[in-house]
Amino acid sequence: MATVDNAVPPGEDPAPFHEAVDDPRRRDFINIAAVAWAGVGGAIVVLPLINQMSPSADVLALSTTEVDLSKIEAGQGVVTSFRKQPLFVRHLTPKEIAEADAVPLGELRDPETLEQRTKPGKTNWLITLGVCTHLGCIPLGIHEGENRGQFGGYFCPCHGSQYDTAARIRKGPAPKNLAVPPYTFSSDTTVTVG
Amino acid sequence: MSFPWAKHYEPKFALTKWVDERLPLPRLVYNAVGAGYPVPRNLNYFWNFGVLAGAALAAQIVTGIVLAMHYAANGGVAFDSVEHIMRDVNAGWFMRYAHANGASMFFIVVYIHIFRGLYYGSYKAPREMVWLLGVVIFLLMMATAFMGYVLPWGQMSFWGAQVITGFFSAIPIVGDTIRVWLLGGYAPDDAALNRFFSLHYLLPFVIAGVIVLHIWALHIPGSNNPTGVDVKGEQDTVPFHPYYTAKDGFGLGIFLLIFAFMIFFQPNYLGHPDNYIPANPLATPAHIVPEWYFWPFYAILRSFTSDFILPAKLWGVLAMFGSIVLLFFLPWLDSSPVRSTNYRPVYRTFFWVLVADVLVLGWCGGSPADPLYIVLAQICAAYYFAHFLVILPIVSRMERPRPLPNSITEAVLAKKGGTSPSETAVSGSPLAAE
Amino acid sequence: MIRWISAVIGAGIVAVLGWSLLWTIVGVAGDSSAKTWTGAPASAEHYVHAQRPLLNAELPSEGLFGKYDLRQLQRGFQVYKEVCAACHSIRLVAFRDLKQLGYDDGQVKAIAQGWQIEQPSVNPDTGEVATRKNLPSDHFPLVFANDVAARAANNNAVPPDLSLMTKARHEGPDYVYSLVGHGYVNQPADLLAKFPDAKTPKGLHYNQYFANLNIAMPPPLTQDGQVQYLDGTKPTVDQMAKDVAAFLTWTAEPNLDTRHGAGFAVLGFLLVFCFLAYGAYQNVWRNMKH
């Protein structure tokens, strides 16, 4: 057992005035320091417990997606997947490009030109995530025969968001255009996404 | 509850008063582990281990919940999901090593806690219910630890599950049926792994519930102390807070220091290499051993090597469970009115023999099943049962205990050499820790 | 009453144990051939392992202050790649993990692209089973599709996956180093004189550090210079064995450096806490004898 009579030698009366002699603030400093130190430690331990829920190394390293464009005719589109999300690759017709270019930027909720959303000289290839920016449903319209909404792009059946031929939001609750992931043309007919 | 001089919770602010009138939870905490719980002033460091056991359980639950977010309980992927935690999940290696070593820390702390209860007679009247609930917690801990060890689905996991469920096949007639029912198959597989995971997640919360009862039952008579003498008056006690919260804080620091050393520098010391080999139902490891905390019981199981009316296997299983079940009867096997073994010279000798005996049993249980260890284990197992079932009841009747101190305060002052009468006036010492 | 019952039960259990004890002793005394008191039937492997304890690989990752030597890990990876990888996979390791050895993104990509065994895949046009080049995000591919294929190709033995080898054996790094670096010797004559049955069967190889002395793996490191190190280290068999043991220590425990670093910070923090908590404890109790 530890001896704790540091303040009172054995046999001596621990009279109350001993306490008065001590400076109470200095006396209690050690208690406050210990509790504060423990608090800091507790807060530090919480960090890894929170951080463990962030994407793990294997998820962050998820592979890039390659898309072969050679078999996609103008007016058609394909769906593949990028980071476990649907990826829309659409070959725009000249008419669709003209429609997109005709819209004044001032009318748009999220102003972007088709040129800004595609690669130079490749404005006919529109590559976006197939994730509605409202609440994450997959919009219709990438396949032929599906409802493309009144702007000829995509139509989200969940809450009625409508996108134009440049996949920009035109009507409905979605706040943003369909997202364009980072990608490069590795050849004239191959795109590497990611 | 407890003593008449216990401090009463008095809410200081309008808000705390408002809460207290509607849900007196702060009052409950105050009376349980706050200033409202008077505790003998002479507790030694052995009394830290109850709080430490609680801390170990809390650490296991927190790390366990986190691990369950990444673990997959399916034979095809369980092993790889654990390695995924170790390699790819952020700080995953820390949480898994903390959980694996936390189990060992929990058992070390609980074994010391049990040792303290045995040595100082904390199981005796009026604290029998505290002891009985404690044995229930111990049994639940063993079940939880066993099922947790199966989850990584390594070689030791698989063969541990095979061997432990094999105990039940020792039961005559229905044994094999029960074993197949427990496993949901003829060998451990997805069905067993899934139910073990489910129960491994559930049981810690059951343990936490029984701990609440354990503490509740403790607060009726109040804590025992190293002299075993009852509290006579206010001068014998101090409020739990700040006195024992401060002491437990220091104890917790030492506990965490050792725990952290294991996690960061010896994380695999208490584990077995074979559990880093994926489970293989077609190849048994050369030397199957359970985790260290089961070794004494494993040694008892293996001590029964010859049939005697009943098959040896059944004797082994019965004795192994019996070695824990007999603890339920301990408060009535020991009829001595003296609690602390310090004042029981004859029993004290036998008690230390028991401690050595259990350590040797543990050593035998962790060693290969060679004749030397079997013979040692047989002798030690015999002493274990003889101690509790024969020696203890006899000694507790025959023995003449040494004179007890008149009070806790007298014992303290005799030890410290100070006999000033003002020592007894400890009430109201304003030792702020706020 | 309870004491009478307990005494009877206690005496009964002691009697049954005594009975078992009796027969254990009779069994050992009556069997003078193989069994000894210290256990373990006297066997060739016990004889050899007692004489030849594992050699110390002296890896820089050992001990409390252990830290990986990245150049050694790169050399070890080279040995693994050029010698071991023909038969042994490291399926729990991903190519991207090699960045921890000091390779940059381009080098990792090149290693993955150039890896001999390709990643299982599906032909996008026909849906048939196919393979593709490895990407940094891929795990190292299996060498054999399954155990049956492994057995068929390796004289009925399965080359184990090496990802966790150094954690799956007692003193794993020393074991790997001893086994591949110094394990293959001629079977000693005195061993055969003592244990005539211990002769290594055809198709197996005598290795004094292998559990049962007879390993299916032919000697992997046969001569100095088998691997050409880029950093100028002399590629002796001993050096190659050390390096590959270091590499396999890393594959089993990639977070060791982080763990040791964090460990010192945590221990320091807790040490300060212990001092503060002890001070607070003494302070609270300063006027209370106990």
Side-chain angles (χ1 to χ4, degrees):
Chain A
M1 283 233 25
T3 56
V4 291
D5 298 30
N6 45 6
V8 186
E12 201 175 307
D13 192 338
F17 66 80
H18 277 269
E19 300 225 349
V21 170
D22 288 342
D23 175 3
R25 277 181 306 175
R26 207 179 65 196
R27 219 180 50 214
D28 292 339
F29 171 76
I30 186 82
N31 301 1
I32 294 162
V35 172
W37 197 259
V40 170
I44 293 173
V45 166
V46 169
L47 293 179
L49 298 179
I50 292 172
N51 190 34
Q52 53 88 16
M53 301 220 308
S54 321
S56 53
D58 55 325
V59 173
L60 292 178
L62 256 196
S63 60
T64 51
T65 301
E66 295 224 326
V67 189
D68 179 9
L69 304 179
S70 60
K71 292 183 186 125
I72 309 173
E73 303 286 333
Q76 289 185 334
V78 296
V79 186
T80 82
S81 102
F82 171 64
R83 289 193 173 154
K84 311 260 166 169
Q85 292 172 293
L87 182 75
F88 288 173
V89 181
R90 188 147 156 187
H91 191 170
L92 300 177
T93 61
K95 181 166 165 280
E96 287 170 331
I97 295 172
E99 273 176 33
D101 288 340
V103 182
L105 277 190
E107 269 182 31
L108 295 173
R109 190 176 300 169
D110 181 12
E112 270 183 317
T113 62
L114 180 62
E115 280 67 32
Q116 286 169 323
R117 292 169 62 73
T118 51
K119 297 289 169 193
K122 302 276 188 189
T123 43
N124 53 334
W125 292 106
L126 178 67
I127 299 176
T128 63
L129 290 182
V131 180
C132 179
T133 56
H134 179 220
L135 292 170
C137 296
I138 304 178
L140 298 173
I142 188 69
H143 300 297
E144 280 172 292
E146 285 180 352
N147 183 357
R148 288 185 166 168
Q150 67 187 91
F151 301 96
Y154 301 107
F155 171 72
C156 183
C158 289
H159 306 97
S161 290
Q162 305 204 22
Y163 298 86
D164 65 14
T165 50
R168 296 175 297 199
I169 181 64
R170 297 295 291 275
K171 200 174 172 187
K176 295 265 184 199
N177 302 335
L178 290 187
V180 178
Y183 66 91
T184 50
F185 277 86
S186 41
S187 76
D188 262 3
T189 56
T190 322
V191 167
T192 308
V193 186
Chain B
M1 185 194 278
S2 169
F3 303 109
W5 57 87
K7 289 189 195 169
H8 287 280
Y9 177 68
E10 276 156 23
K12 288 196 191 84
F13 308 103
L15 177 66
T16 47
K17 197 161 181 294
W18 184 88
V19 171
D20 187 54
E21 282 161 2
R22 284 156 182 82
L23 179 71
L25 185 62
R27 177 179 296 271
L28 182 77
V29 173
Y30 183 89
N31 289 334
V33 290
Y37 179 45
V39 186
R41 61 192 282 193
N42 62 335
L43 302 189
N44 58 31
Y45 279 112
F46 280 116
W47 265 262
N48 281 53
F49 286 86
V51 165
L52 292 183
L57 176 69
Q60 287 303 84
I61 288 180
V62 169
T63 51
I65 287 173
V66 163
L67 289 171
M69 294 183 188
H70 303 280
Y71 172 77
N74 178 292
V77 294
F79 186 90
D80 289 8
S81 76
V82 172
E83 279 304 316
H84 169 245
I85 291 170
M86 292 293 289
R87 289 158 193 273
D88 290 335
V89 173
N90 300 301
W93 59 269
F94 166 69
M95 290 172 298
R96 196 226 159 191
Y97 278 153
H99 198 68
N101 285 286
S104 285
M105 294 301 290
F106 195 7
F107 271 97
I108 291 169
V109 164
V110 162
Y111 279 136
I112 296 173
H113 189 60
I114 294 173
F115 165 86
R116 191 266 286 153
L118 284 172
Y119 186 84
Y120 292 109
S122 302
Y123 51 86
K124 292 189 193 184
R127 297 184 186 82
E128 300 98 319
M129 190 55 86
V130 186
W131 174 260
L132 298 182
L133 290 166
V135 180
V136 170
I137 293 170
F138 182 48
L139 284 170
L140 287 169
M141 272 177 72
M142 294 173 94
T144 309
F146 157 65
M147 287 188 282
Y149 195 60
V150 174
L151 301 185
W153 211 235
Q155 274 288 68
M156 280 295 167
S157 301
F158 180 91
W159 292 98
Q162 175 87 342
V163 168
I164 303 269
T165 55
F167 293 167
F168 294 89
S169 66
I171 301 168
I173 306 168
V174 292
D176 282 320
T177 316
I178 289 178
R179 178 173 178 275
V180 170
W181 171 75
L182 279 174
L183 288 174
Y186 302 96
D189 201 359
D190 291 343
L193 189 54
N194 258 306
R195 67 191 60 179
F196 283 4
F197 181 48
S198 169
L199 293 172
H200 181 73
Y201 205 120
L202 168 71
L203 287 186
F205 297 97
V206 178
I207 292 175
V210 183
I211 285 174
V212 169
L213 301 182
H214 188 66
I215 296 172
W216 185 5
L218 173 70
H219 280 60
I220 303 299
S223 298
N224 188 24
N225 69 86
T227 65
V229 174
D230 284 330
V231 168
K232 298 282 187 347
E234 190 171 3
Q235 72 281 1
D236 287 344
T237 67
V238 292
F240 189 86
H241 178 76
Y243 285 92
Y244 285 108
T245 42
K247 193 175 182 181
D248 285 333
F250 173 57
L252 189 65
I254 299 293
F255 168 79
L256 290 176
L257 206 57
I258 298 168
F259 191 10
F261 179 80
M262 294 305 292
I263 295 172
F264 289 101
F265 295 100
Q266 289 294 338
N268 291 306
Y269 179 75
L270 294 168
H272 198 290
D274 279 24
N275 227 27
Y276 281 110
I277 303 171
N280 181 356
L282 302 180
T284 310
H287 176 38
I288 295 188
V289 278
E291 292 284 82
W292 68 268
Y293 37 78
F294 292 137
W295 284 353
F297 306 100
Y298 193 56
I300 291 175
L301 174 82
R302 287 199 309 199
S303 295
F304 292 83
T305 48
S306 302
D307 293 355
F308 186 86
I309 306 172
L310 300 175
K313 178 179 171 182
L314 182 56
W315 276 114
V317 173
L318 286 176
M320 192 187 65
F321 285 114
S323 66
I324 298 164
V325 169
L326 65 80
L327 296 177
F328 282 113
F329 298 93
L330 186 60
W332 298 275
L333 292 172
D334 183 355
S335 59
S336 170
V338 178
R339 295 198 187 96
S340 173
T341 305
N342 279 340
Y343 302 97
R344 302 178 65 188
V346 180
Y347 176 65
R348 189 179 164 128
T349 310
F350 285 109
F351 179 82
W352 284 112
V353 173
L354 175 76
V355 172
D357 183 78
V358 171
L359 292 177
V360 173
L361 270 179
W363 179 53
C364 293
S367 301
D370 294 331
L372 175 73
Y373 300 115
I374 294 287
V375 167
L376 256 181
Q378 285 167 336
I379 295 166
C380 289
Y383 179 78
Y384 181 92
F385 288 101
H387 175 91
F388 283 109
L389 297 176
V390 183
I391 296 170
L392 176 59
I394 294 174
V395 168
S396 62
R397 304 210 101 184
M398 316 273 287
E399 169 177 64
R400 265 193 54 190
R402 286 170 45 205
L404 293 170
N406 287 318
S407 75
I408 291 170
T409 305
E410 186 193 283
V412 170
L413 297 184
K415 200 166 149 195
K416 297 290 175 190
T419 49
S420 159
S422 66
E423 267 300 312
T424 51
V426 294
S427 62
S429 40
L431 301 172
E434 291 85 45
Chain C
M1 187 60 191
I2 182 171
R3 279 183 288 278
W4 284 111
I5 298 172
S6 81
V8 169
I9 295 174
I13 295 175
V14 170
V16 178
L17 276 165
W19 180 254
S20 284
L21 177 62
L22 177 74
W23 285 107
T24 311
I25 292 171
V26 168
V28 175
D31 180 8
S32 58
S33 60
K35 291 263 177 186
T36 64
W37 277 105
T38 45
S43 65
E45 54 261 37
H46 281 83
Y47 178 74
V48 173
H49 292 321
Q51 280 184 341
R52 302 268 172 199
L54 293 179
L55 305 173
N56 186 347
E58 289 162 358
L59 299 183
S61 54
E62 279 172 28
L64 293 191
F65 297 93
K67 213 169 164 19
Y68 288 127
D69 171 0
L70 295 190
R71 288 163 73 103
Q72 183 178 37
L73 296 190
Q74 293 198 1
R75 292 198 302 271
F77 172 60
Q78 195 186 348
V79 176
Y80 167 74
K81 182 181 161 192
E82 294 178 20
V83 181
C84 319
C87 303
H88 294 279
S89 55
I90 44 172
R91 66 182 185 91
L92 297 171
V93 183
F95 286 100
R96 62 186 150 83
D97 294 334
L98 293 176
K99 274 192 268 186
Q100 294 174 28
L101 303 193
Y103 296 111
D104 63 30
D105 283 325
Q107 288 169 311
V108 169
K109 197 164 185 186
I111 292 168
Q113 290 278 318
W115 198 253
Q116 201 81 36
I117 300 162
E118 296 203 323
Q119 202 66 220
S121 173
V122 173
N123 183 319
D125 298 323
T126 64
E128 283 171 353
V129 174
T131 60
R132 60 165 171 80
K133 290 219 177 297
N134 293 287
L135 294 167
S137 56
D138 288 326
H139 280 215
F140 280 82
L142 292 175
V143 180
F144 303 102
N146 50 54
D147 278 5
V148 180
R151 276 183 201 286
N154 290 284
N155 196 15
N156 205 27
V158 180
D161 184 88
L162 297 182
S163 318
L164 285 168
M165 186 50 77
T166 52
K167 270 157 83 176
R169 298 286 183 278
H170 286 284
E171 298 172 62
D174 292 346
Y175 171 78
V176 170
Y177 163 65
S178 306
L179 185 99
V180 300
H182 301 276
Y184 293 93
V185 293
N186 289 327
Q187 209 165 13
D190 67 316
L191 176 70
L192 287 176
K194 225 174 155 84
F195 302 95
D197 295 343
K199 178 135 185 59
T200 300
K202 215 169 150 39
L204 298 182
H205 307 266
Y206 180 76
N207 188 310
Q208 57 191 352
Y209 298 111
F210 192 62
N212 68 11
L213 302 181
N214 299 311
I215 191 167
M217 172 170 71
L221 302 174
T222 48
Q223 55 182 336
D224 293 354
Q226 193 172 341
V227 168
Q228 286 305 320
Y229 283 146
L230 302 172
D231 65 355
T233 306
K234 201 158 177 288
T236 59
V237 168
D238 181 74
Q239 185 65 43
M240 290 186 288
K242 263 185 190 157
D243 292 346
V244 82
F247 173 69
L248 292 179
T249 307
W250 172 79
T251 61
E253 188 72 13
N255 292 309
L256 180 133
D257 286 354
T258 322
R259 176 156 63 74
H260 281 178
F264 282 112
V266 170
L267 289 189
F269 188 94
L270 286 173
L271 215 53
V272 173
F273 175 70
C274 285
F275 277 113
L276 290 176
Y278 187 72
Y281 162 43
Q282 298 291 288
N283 181 37
V284 167
W285 282 81
R286 70 191 177 284
N287 288 328
M288 175 65 58
K289 291 187 177 181
H290 65 296

